[in-house]
Amino acid sequence: MRLRNIPGADAAITESVYCIKSPETHKGHWQEIFPSQQPLHIEIGMGKGRFMMDLAAAHPDINYLGIERYSSVLLRALQKMEENPLPNLFFICMDAADVAEVFDHGEVDRIYLNFSDPWPKDRHAKRRLTSRQFFARYDEVLAPEGHLEFKTDNQDLFTFSLEEIPEAGWHLDASTRDLHHDPVLNEGNIMTEYEEKFSSLGNPICKLIASR
């Protein structure tokens, strides 16, 4: 999908107090940017930020970082934050492949992946955020008792993800191919923009939870 460039997006991100510049300089010291030292959860590929903002509002006892590669998308999240600031949430504009350059070993307590790009061609499999290559990156930053949660409506990507977990040396803790009708995994579920859109079209939502 071709993203529309929004003039001034890069400048707005640079000037925003809600977006962390030079994130690699905070490696190993992320707790210092928050008012309180609390568990740290991150979302990789957060889109317009609804999921992160709803989580941060519902769980003030957790610190959150939303990661988005595209400035034109991140701009929408920043605009929302200006309307409703949350002290336990900041954003980073960066590529997911650099996650191990930005977070120290065991610094992250939970990783969220929501409706990631499926990269449908086989030759692009290693670019999928649930590929074994990315699980190796997550392994470098996730706390020993940490978890990764992944949601998608793409059945092929979900099947691929389930297969990659053991290949990456991880463990599948739970999974469902119909989240909204799963009484256990759907409890307390916070929807993303895509989740609301796709489920309204009748697409079942898949979810898995994995750990080392």
Side-chain angles (χ1 to χ4, degrees):
M1 179 178 67
R2 192 178 186 89
L3 293 173
R4 181 170 62 90
N5 181 56
I6 298 179
D10 290 339
I13 288 170
T14 300
E15 296 170 3
S16 176
V17 297
Y18 304 116
C19 188
I20 303 300
K21 274 65 73 173
S22 302
E24 66 280 356
T25 64
H26 296 280
K27 183 176 182 178
H29 306 282
W30 279 106
Q31 293 292 344
E32 296 175 5
I33 74 168
F34 294 97
S36 302
Q37 292 195 4
Q38 305 175 146
L40 178 63
H41 294 187
I42 68 173
E43 181 184 9
I44 299 176
M46 69 166 196
K48 298 177 182 178
R50 170 181 163 179
F51 178 77
M52 276 277 96
M53 294 190 72
D54 286 351
L55 267 183
H59 302 283
D61 57 336
I62 297 173
N63 292 330
Y64 293 93
L65 286 169
I67 297 171
E68 175 55 49
R69 176 182 179 182
Y70 299 104
S71 60
S72 294
V73 179
L74 178 55
L75 178 62
R76 301 307 189 195
L78 293 176
Q79 292 169 339
K80 294 176 184 177
M81 274 287 279
E82 290 170 358
E83 297 174 359
N84 183 30
L86 294 161
N88 59 328
L89 172 62
F90 289 95
F91 303 130
I92 307 173
C93 190
M94 59 172 272
D95 193 296
D98 298 328
V99 66
E101 305 301 319
V102 170
F103 299 99
D104 209 349
H105 295 286
E107 193 168 21
V108 177
D109 294 285
R110 187 165 300 177
I111 297 172
Y112 297 100
L113 307 173
N114 292 312
F115 300 87
S116 310
D117 190 332
W119 292 99
K121 296 181 180 179
D122 289 342
R123 69 175 183 271
H124 293 153
K126 66 181 181 181
R127 297 187 182 184
R128 299 167 188 160
L129 294 186
T130 51
S131 68
R132 64 194 71 180
Q133 289 85 358
F134 271 96
F135 272 110
R137 293 181 174 102
Y138 307 146
D139 188 58
E140 294 188 48
V141 305
L142 192 65
E145 301 301 321
H147 293 83
L148 177 146
E149 298 189 10
F150 171 58
K151 290 195 287 188
T152 183
D153 72 317
N154 188 300
Q155 295 288 337
D156 290 339
L157 178 59
F158 193 68
T159 297
F160 167 84
S161 304
L162 292 173
E163 294 171 350
E164 287 293 277
I165 288 172
E167 293 296 330
W170 284 53
H171 176 264
L172 180 66
D173 298 324
S175 70
T176 179
R177 289 185 182 267
D178 192 0
L179 173 61
H180 295 170
H181 290 94
D182 187 305
V184 177
L185 289 183
N186 194 48
E187 183 177 358
N189 180 55
I190 291 179
M191 290 203 288
T192 74
E193 291 97 335
Y194 280 127
E195 184 174 354
E196 188 173 74
K197 174 183 176 181
F198 295 143
S199 61
S200 70
L201 296 173
N203 297 357
I205 305 302
C206 305
K207 179 177 180 176
L208 65 80
I209 302 174
S211 62
R212 270 77 60 81

